[in-house]
Amino acid sequence: MKHFSFLILCSAILFCACGAKNTTNTIIEPLKVNLPAFDADSAYNNVKRQVDFGARVPNTAAHRACAEFLSAKLQSYGAEVIEQRAEVSAFDGTKLKIVNIIAQFAPENKNRILLYSHWDSRPWADQDSDINNHSKPVDGANDGASGVGILLEIARLVSMQNPTIGVDIIFFDAEDFGAPESYTGKEKNSWCLGSQYWAVHPHKAGYKARFGILLDMVGAPGATFYKEQVSQYYASNVVKKVWDAALETGFSQYFRQEQGGTITDDHLYINRIINIPSIDIIHYNPNYGFGEYWHTAHDNMDNIDRNTLFAVGSVLLYVIYNEKTVK
Ligand code: AHN
Ligand code: ZN
Protein backbone atom coordinates (compact mmCIF):
# COMPACT_ATOMS: atom_id res chain seq x y z
CA MET A 1 0.00 0.00 0.00
CA LYS A 2 2.79 2.31 1.10
CA HIS A 3 4.52 2.15 -2.27
CA PHE A 4 1.42 2.90 -4.28
CA SER A 5 0.48 5.82 -2.06
CA PHE A 6 4.00 7.04 -2.58
CA LEU A 7 3.66 6.67 -6.34
CA ILE A 8 0.38 8.54 -6.35
CA LEU A 9 1.91 11.26 -4.17
CA CYS A 10 4.89 11.63 -6.51
CA SER A 11 2.62 11.80 -9.50
CA ALA A 12 0.50 14.42 -7.78
CA ILE A 13 3.56 16.54 -6.94
CA LEU A 14 4.87 16.19 -10.47
CA PHE A 15 1.45 17.10 -11.81
CA CYS A 16 1.16 20.22 -9.66
CA ALA A 17 4.78 21.31 -10.17
CA CYS A 18 4.51 21.09 -13.93
CA GLY A 19 1.02 22.51 -13.95
CA ALA A 20 2.22 25.68 -12.21
CA LYS A 21 4.85 26.52 -14.82
CA ASN A 22 3.02 25.05 -17.74
CA THR A 23 1.93 27.63 -20.23
CA THR A 24 0.96 25.12 -22.94
CA ASN A 25 -1.99 22.78 -22.52
CA THR A 26 -0.01 19.60 -21.93
CA ILE A 27 -1.90 17.11 -19.82
CA ILE A 28 0.25 14.98 -17.60
CA GLU A 29 -1.42 11.71 -16.73
CA PRO A 30 -0.87 10.90 -13.06
CA LEU A 31 -0.92 7.10 -13.36
CA LYS A 32 -1.07 4.71 -16.30
CA VAL A 33 -3.62 2.35 -14.80
CA ASN A 34 -5.60 1.99 -11.66
CA LEU A 35 -4.29 -1.07 -9.88
CA PRO A 36 -6.36 -2.97 -7.36
CA ALA A 37 -4.63 -3.18 -3.97
CA PHE A 38 -3.04 -6.49 -3.05
CA ASP A 39 -4.28 -7.65 0.35
CA ALA A 40 -1.34 -9.33 2.09
CA ASP A 41 -3.51 -10.58 4.98
CA SER A 42 -5.76 -12.33 2.52
CA ALA A 43 -2.74 -13.92 0.79
CA TYR A 44 -1.30 -14.94 4.17
CA ASN A 45 -4.56 -16.60 5.16
CA ASN A 46 -4.59 -18.44 1.84
CA VAL A 47 -1.16 -19.84 2.67
CA LYS A 48 -2.23 -20.83 6.19
CA ARG A 49 -5.39 -22.56 5.00
CA GLN A 50 -3.28 -24.85 2.80
CA VAL A 51 -0.74 -25.61 5.51
CA ASP A 52 -3.57 -26.39 7.96
CA PHE A 53 -4.57 -29.37 5.81
CA GLY A 54 -1.20 -30.96 6.59
CA ALA A 55 1.41 -31.88 4.00
CA ARG A 56 -0.19 -31.95 0.51
CA VAL A 57 1.61 -35.09 -0.62
CA PRO A 58 0.00 -36.95 -3.55
CA ASN A 59 -2.08 -40.03 -2.60
CA THR A 60 -2.93 -38.64 0.86
CA ALA A 61 -6.20 -37.36 2.39
CA ALA A 62 -4.68 -33.91 3.04
CA HIS A 63 -3.81 -33.66 -0.64
CA ARG A 64 -7.35 -34.54 -1.71
CA ALA A 65 -8.92 -32.11 0.78
CA CYS A 66 -6.68 -29.25 -0.26
CA ALA A 67 -7.42 -29.82 -3.96
CA GLU A 68 -11.11 -29.49 -3.18
CA PHE A 69 -10.49 -26.29 -1.24
CA LEU A 70 -8.42 -24.70 -4.02
CA SER A 71 -10.87 -25.62 -6.72
CA ALA A 72 -13.86 -24.31 -4.73
CA LYS A 73 -12.05 -21.08 -3.91
CA LEU A 74 -11.28 -20.38 -7.56
CA GLN A 75 -14.87 -21.18 -8.53
CA SER A 76 -16.10 -18.75 -5.88
CA TYR A 77 -14.22 -16.04 -7.80
CA GLY A 78 -16.16 -16.85 -10.94
CA ALA A 79 -13.34 -18.60 -12.78
CA GLU A 80 -14.01 -21.46 -15.14
CA VAL A 81 -12.19 -24.26 -13.32
CA ILE A 82 -10.89 -27.56 -14.64
CA GLU A 83 -9.50 -30.26 -12.39
CA GLN A 84 -7.15 -32.19 -14.61
CA ARG A 85 -6.69 -35.63 -13.08
CA ALA A 86 -4.04 -38.09 -14.14
CA GLU A 87 -1.89 -40.93 -12.92
CA VAL A 88 1.85 -40.45 -13.33
CA SER A 89 4.89 -42.49 -12.33
CA ALA A 90 7.37 -41.18 -9.80
CA PHE A 91 11.16 -41.80 -10.05
CA ASP A 92 10.78 -45.11 -8.19
CA GLY A 93 7.71 -46.28 -10.10
CA THR A 94 5.20 -45.21 -7.45
CA LYS A 95 1.90 -44.34 -9.14
CA LEU A 96 0.74 -40.87 -8.16
CA LYS A 97 -2.82 -39.68 -8.52
CA ILE A 98 -2.31 -36.06 -9.41
CA VAL A 99 -4.59 -33.13 -10.08
CA ASN A 100 -3.63 -29.93 -11.86
CA ILE A 101 -6.09 -27.17 -11.02
CA ILE A 102 -6.74 -24.78 -13.90
CA ALA A 103 -8.69 -21.53 -13.53
CA GLN A 104 -9.64 -19.45 -16.57
CA PHE A 105 -10.73 -15.83 -16.37
CA ALA A 106 -12.36 -14.44 -19.53
CA PRO A 107 -11.74 -17.71 -21.44
CA GLU A 108 -13.08 -16.14 -24.68
CA ASN A 109 -10.27 -13.56 -24.72
CA LYS A 110 -7.57 -14.59 -27.20
CA ASN A 111 -4.91 -12.49 -25.48
CA ARG A 112 -3.92 -14.47 -22.42
CA ILE A 113 -1.26 -14.72 -19.79
CA LEU A 114 -0.52 -17.72 -17.62
CA LEU A 115 0.35 -17.58 -13.92
CA TYR A 116 1.34 -20.73 -12.07
CA SER A 117 2.71 -22.34 -8.94
CA HIS A 118 2.95 -25.86 -7.60
CA TRP A 119 0.49 -26.79 -4.87
CA ASP A 120 1.90 -30.13 -3.64
CA SER A 121 4.39 -30.38 -0.81
CA ARG A 122 7.56 -32.45 -0.65
CA PRO A 123 7.20 -35.91 0.90
CA TRP A 124 10.66 -35.80 2.50
CA ALA A 125 12.50 -33.09 4.41
CA ASP A 126 15.75 -34.43 2.99
CA GLN A 127 17.69 -31.18 3.50
CA ASP A 128 17.01 -31.08 7.25
CA SER A 129 20.03 -31.12 9.58
CA ASP A 130 18.14 -33.66 11.72
CA ILE A 131 18.27 -36.98 9.88
CA ASN A 132 15.06 -38.08 11.64
CA ASN A 133 13.22 -35.53 9.54
CA HIS A 134 14.43 -36.94 6.23
CA SER A 135 11.53 -39.37 6.06
CA LYS A 136 8.92 -36.79 7.10
CA PRO A 137 6.99 -34.54 4.71
CA VAL A 138 7.47 -30.76 4.74
CA ASP A 139 4.74 -28.26 5.59
CA GLY A 140 5.71 -26.42 2.43
CA ALA A 141 4.45 -23.07 3.69
CA ASN A 142 6.88 -21.31 1.41
CA ASP A 143 7.71 -24.16 -0.97
CA GLY A 144 4.36 -24.47 -2.63
CA ALA A 145 1.75 -22.72 -0.51
CA SER A 146 3.18 -19.19 -0.82
CA GLY A 147 2.85 -18.98 -4.59
CA VAL A 148 -0.64 -20.47 -4.49
CA GLY A 149 -1.62 -18.05 -1.71
CA ILE A 150 -0.56 -15.06 -3.80
CA LEU A 151 -2.28 -16.37 -6.93
CA LEU A 152 -5.55 -16.94 -5.04
CA GLU A 153 -5.43 -13.31 -3.96
CA ILE A 154 -4.70 -12.28 -7.57
CA ALA A 155 -7.69 -14.38 -8.65
CA ARG A 156 -9.91 -12.52 -6.18
CA LEU A 157 -8.76 -9.15 -7.53
CA VAL A 158 -9.01 -10.17 -11.19
CA SER A 159 -12.59 -11.30 -10.52
CA MET A 160 -13.43 -7.83 -9.17
CA GLN A 161 -11.62 -5.75 -11.81
CA ASN A 162 -11.15 -7.16 -15.30
CA PRO A 163 -7.73 -6.64 -16.85
CA THR A 164 -7.72 -6.20 -20.64
CA ILE A 165 -6.11 -9.61 -21.12
CA GLY A 166 -7.48 -13.02 -20.13
CA VAL A 167 -5.76 -14.66 -17.18
CA ASP A 168 -5.17 -18.36 -16.60
CA ILE A 169 -3.98 -19.60 -13.24
CA ILE A 170 -2.68 -23.14 -12.90
CA PHE A 171 -1.76 -24.92 -9.70
CA PHE A 172 0.50 -27.78 -10.75
CA ASP A 173 0.73 -30.99 -8.79
CA ALA A 174 3.72 -33.22 -7.99
CA GLU A 175 6.43 -30.67 -8.60
CA ASP A 176 8.23 -31.70 -5.45
CA PHE A 177 8.27 -35.51 -5.76
CA GLY A 178 11.81 -35.42 -7.16
CA ALA A 179 14.11 -38.24 -6.07
CA PRO A 180 15.39 -37.74 -2.51
CA GLU A 181 19.07 -37.12 -1.75
CA SER A 182 19.47 -40.72 -0.58
CA TYR A 183 18.23 -42.23 -3.86
CA THR A 184 21.00 -43.97 -5.80
CA GLY A 185 18.99 -45.33 -8.74
CA LYS A 186 18.68 -43.70 -12.12
CA GLU A 187 16.29 -40.81 -12.38
CA LYS A 188 15.49 -38.25 -15.03
CA ASN A 189 12.92 -35.47 -14.99
CA SER A 190 11.60 -36.69 -11.65
CA TRP A 191 10.56 -33.17 -10.60
CA CYS A 192 7.63 -31.20 -12.01
CA LEU A 193 5.46 -34.18 -12.93
CA GLY A 194 2.23 -32.17 -13.00
CA SER A 195 3.53 -29.46 -15.31
CA GLN A 196 5.19 -32.04 -17.55
CA TYR A 197 1.85 -33.81 -17.86
CA TRP A 198 -0.07 -30.61 -18.62
CA ALA A 199 2.51 -29.39 -21.16
CA VAL A 200 1.87 -32.58 -23.15
CA HIS A 201 -1.89 -32.59 -22.45
CA PRO A 202 -2.99 -28.95 -22.16
CA HIS A 203 -6.60 -28.40 -21.02
CA LYS A 204 -7.36 -26.94 -24.49
CA ALA A 205 -5.84 -28.25 -27.71
CA GLY A 206 -3.50 -25.62 -29.15
CA TYR A 207 -3.51 -23.63 -25.92
CA LYS A 208 -1.49 -20.44 -26.20
CA ALA A 209 -0.50 -17.68 -23.83
CA ARG A 210 1.59 -14.60 -24.42
CA PHE A 211 3.88 -15.57 -21.56
CA GLY A 212 3.95 -17.44 -18.29
CA ILE A 213 5.09 -16.51 -14.79
CA LEU A 214 5.91 -19.16 -12.21
CA LEU A 215 5.97 -18.29 -8.51
CA ASP A 216 8.09 -20.58 -6.35
CA MET A 217 9.03 -19.82 -2.73
CA VAL A 218 7.79 -16.26 -2.75
CA GLY A 219 6.89 -15.70 0.91
CA ALA A 220 9.98 -15.96 3.14
CA PRO A 221 11.19 -12.95 5.13
CA GLY A 222 13.80 -10.96 3.19
CA ALA A 223 13.47 -13.14 0.10
CA THR A 224 15.58 -12.16 -2.90
CA PHE A 225 14.69 -12.95 -6.49
CA TYR A 226 17.52 -12.95 -9.00
CA LYS A 227 17.13 -13.22 -12.76
CA GLU A 228 17.01 -16.98 -13.12
CA GLN A 229 18.87 -18.30 -16.18
CA VAL A 230 16.35 -20.70 -17.70
CA SER A 231 13.97 -17.72 -17.64
CA GLN A 232 16.61 -15.51 -19.25
CA TYR A 233 17.26 -18.08 -21.97
CA TYR A 234 13.62 -18.60 -22.99
CA ALA A 235 11.94 -15.35 -21.99
CA SER A 236 14.39 -12.51 -21.37
CA ASN A 237 11.74 -9.95 -22.39
CA VAL A 238 9.40 -11.25 -19.68
CA VAL A 239 12.20 -11.14 -17.10
CA LYS A 240 12.78 -7.52 -18.10
CA LYS A 241 9.08 -6.72 -17.93
CA VAL A 242 8.77 -8.11 -14.40
CA TRP A 243 12.03 -6.74 -12.99
CA ASP A 244 11.22 -3.32 -14.52
CA ALA A 245 7.81 -3.50 -12.86
CA ALA A 246 9.55 -4.14 -9.54
CA LEU A 247 11.73 -1.09 -10.08
CA GLU A 248 8.69 0.97 -11.01
CA THR A 249 6.71 -0.11 -7.93
CA GLY A 250 9.63 0.22 -5.50
CA PHE A 251 10.36 -3.43 -4.74
CA SER A 252 13.93 -3.71 -5.99
CA GLN A 253 15.18 -4.91 -2.63
CA TYR A 254 13.34 -8.16 -3.41
CA PHE A 255 13.85 -8.25 -7.18
CA ARG A 256 17.62 -7.98 -7.69
CA GLN A 257 18.96 -6.73 -11.00
CA GLU A 258 21.53 -9.54 -11.10
CA GLN A 259 21.85 -12.96 -12.66
CA GLY A 260 20.66 -15.93 -10.60
CA GLY A 261 21.08 -19.69 -10.82
CA THR A 262 19.80 -22.18 -13.36
CA ILE A 263 16.83 -23.95 -11.82
CA THR A 264 14.94 -27.03 -12.90
CA ASP A 265 11.39 -25.99 -12.15
CA ASP A 266 7.93 -26.11 -13.73
CA HIS A 267 8.79 -23.28 -16.12
CA LEU A 268 11.49 -25.41 -17.79
CA TYR A 269 8.87 -27.84 -19.13
CA ILE A 270 6.38 -25.12 -19.99
CA ASN A 271 9.11 -23.49 -22.08
CA ARG A 272 10.48 -26.67 -23.60
CA ILE A 273 7.37 -28.73 -24.25
CA ILE A 274 4.57 -26.25 -24.93
CA ASN A 275 6.70 -23.24 -25.89
CA ILE A 276 5.10 -20.65 -23.64
CA PRO A 277 7.90 -18.19 -22.82
CA SER A 278 8.02 -18.47 -19.06
CA ILE A 279 9.98 -17.13 -16.14
CA ASP A 280 10.48 -18.30 -12.58
CA ILE A 281 10.28 -15.87 -9.69
CA ILE A 282 12.12 -18.00 -7.17
CA HIS A 283 13.92 -17.40 -3.89
CA TYR A 284 17.37 -18.61 -4.78
CA ASN A 285 20.64 -16.82 -4.17
CA PRO A 286 23.34 -17.69 -6.73
CA ASN A 287 25.98 -17.64 -3.96
CA TYR A 288 24.07 -19.34 -1.13
CA GLY A 289 21.47 -21.43 -2.94
CA PHE A 290 17.94 -21.85 -1.61
CA GLY A 291 16.97 -20.47 1.80
CA GLU A 292 18.05 -22.53 4.81
CA TYR A 293 14.41 -23.61 5.36
CA TRP A 294 14.33 -25.34 1.98
CA HIS A 295 13.14 -28.96 2.16
CA THR A 296 13.40 -28.91 5.95
CA ALA A 297 10.98 -29.03 8.87
CA HIS A 298 11.40 -25.25 9.16
CA ASP A 299 9.40 -24.47 6.06
CA ASN A 300 6.34 -23.70 8.19
CA MET A 301 4.18 -20.61 8.79
CA ASP A 302 7.03 -18.97 10.74
CA ASN A 303 8.74 -18.80 7.36
CA ILE A 304 6.03 -16.59 5.82
CA ASP A 305 6.22 -12.81 5.80
CA ARG A 306 3.31 -10.67 4.63
CA ASN A 307 5.76 -8.04 3.30
CA THR A 308 7.25 -10.50 0.83
CA LEU A 309 3.82 -11.70 -0.29
CA PHE A 310 2.84 -8.06 -0.75
CA ALA A 311 5.91 -7.22 -2.84
CA VAL A 312 5.45 -10.14 -5.20
CA GLY A 313 1.68 -9.71 -5.44
CA SER A 314 1.98 -5.99 -6.16
CA VAL A 315 4.58 -6.48 -8.89
CA LEU A 316 2.37 -9.11 -10.51
CA LEU A 317 -0.66 -6.84 -10.44
CA TYR A 318 1.36 -4.09 -12.09
CA VAL A 319 2.32 -6.48 -14.90
CA ILE A 320 -1.20 -7.89 -15.32
CA TYR A 321 -3.00 -4.54 -15.48
CA ASN A 322 -0.44 -2.89 -17.75
CA GLU A 323 -0.63 -5.68 -20.32
CA LYS A 324 -2.33 -4.28 -23.43
CA THR A 325 -4.52 -6.11 -25.88
CA VAL A 326 -3.43 -5.89 -29.52
CA LYS A 327 -5.96 -6.40 -32.25
C1 AHN B 1 15.77 -28.95 -8.04
O1 AHN B 1 16.20 -29.00 -6.91
C2 AHN B 1 16.22 -29.87 -9.09
N1 AHN B 1 14.82 -28.10 -8.39
C3 AHN B 1 14.21 -27.23 -7.44
C4 AHN B 1 12.83 -27.02 -7.81
C5 AHN B 1 12.00 -26.91 -6.60
C6 AHN B 1 11.85 -27.82 -5.62
N2 AHN B 1 11.26 -25.90 -6.30
C7 AHN B 1 10.68 -26.13 -5.18
N3 AHN B 1 11.02 -27.30 -4.73
ZN1 ZN C 1 10.58 -28.11 -3.09
Side-chain angles (χ1 to χ4, degrees), residues 231-270:
S231 314
Q232 283 282 44
Y233 178 79
Y234 286 103
S236 59
N237 61 324
V238 185
V239 173
K240 183 176 183 337
K241 191 194 287 271
V242 171
W243 265 253
D244 282 357
L247 209 58
E248 199 71 29
T249 47
F251 293 111
S252 294
Q253 78 271 34
Y254 293 96
F255 289 77
R256 300 298 176 96
Q257 300 283 351
E258 289 162 68
Q259 191 167 83
T262 304
I263 317 283
T264 298
D265 209 342
D266 291 316
H267 70 316
L268 175 65
Y269 301 99
I270 305 305

Side-chain angles (χ1 to χ4, degrees), residues 32-257:
K32 282 201 278 187
V33 284
N34 226 340
L35 298 182
F38 189 85
D39 184 340
D41 287 326
S42 160
Y44 182 92
N45 290 332
N46 294 336
V47 178
K48 185 167 188 313
R49 286 292 296 274
Q50 295 169 74
V51 172
D52 285 346
F53 284 107
R56 285 81 63 214
V57 172
N59 299 348
T60 67
H63 182 267
R64 286 187 289 274
C66 187
E68 216 167 281
F69 162 74
L70 295 174
S71 174
K73 190 92 171 160
L74 289 165
Q75 275 167 24
S76 79
Y77 298 139
E80 208 168 279
V81 178
I82 296 172
E83 292 170 23
Q84 180 183 59
R85 288 171 197 285
E87 193 173 270
V88 298
S89 294
F91 63 95
D92 60 351
T94 304
K95 296 279 182 256
L96 305 177
K97 286 195 158 66
I98 64 162
V99 49
N100 292 325
I101 300 165
I102 302 154
Q104 308 163 84
F105 289 95
E108 72 291 343
N109 194 332
K110 291 274 173 288
N111 299 285
R112 315 196 61 72
I113 62 168
L114 173 61
L115 309 173
Y116 51 106
S117 275
H118 76 92
W119 74 272
D120 61 306
S121 40
R122 183 153 179 79
W124 319 280
D126 54 348
Q127 298 289 338
D128 205 291
S129 56
D130 180 354
I131 189 167
N132 293 312
N133 287 332
H134 289 195
S135 58
K136 296 179 191 157
V138 300
D139 275 357
N142 197 35
D143 190 356
S146 65
V148 171
I150 288 174
L151 292 182
L152 284 176
E153 171 59 5
I154 299 274
R156 184 181 74 81
L157 296 169
V158 165
S159 76
M160 296 191 324
Q161 182 183 327
N162 293 333
T164 59
I165 35 108
V167 175
D168 296 305
I169 293 176
I170 306 187
F171 298 149
F172 288 120
D173 204 350
E175 185 275 342
D176 238 343
F177 218 102
E181 290 280 286
S182 59
Y183 188 70
T184 54
K186 269 203 215 128
E187 59 104 3
K188 234 185 111 199
N189 297 327
S190 68
W191 304 84
C192 311
L193 300 178
S195 57
Q196 291 191 61
Y197 182 86
W198 177 82
V200 177
H201 309 278
H203 59 286
K204 279 184 177 169
Y207 175 81
K208 278 194 177 58
R210 235 178 236 191
F211 59 83
I213 300 176
L214 165 59
L215 303 184
D216 195 4
M217 300 186 267
V218 283
T224 48
F225 311 114
Y226 291 79
K227 298 177 170 182
E228 189 274 330
Q229 294 188 46
V230 173
S231 314
Q232 283 282 44
Y233 178 79
Y234 286 103
S236 59
N237 61 324
V238 185
V239 173
K240 183 176 183 337
K241 191 194 287 271
V242 171
W243 265 253
D244 282 357
L247 209 58
E248 199 71 29
T249 47
F251 293 111
S252 294
Q253 78 271 34
Y254 293 96
F255 289 77
R256 300 298 176 96
Q257 300 283 351

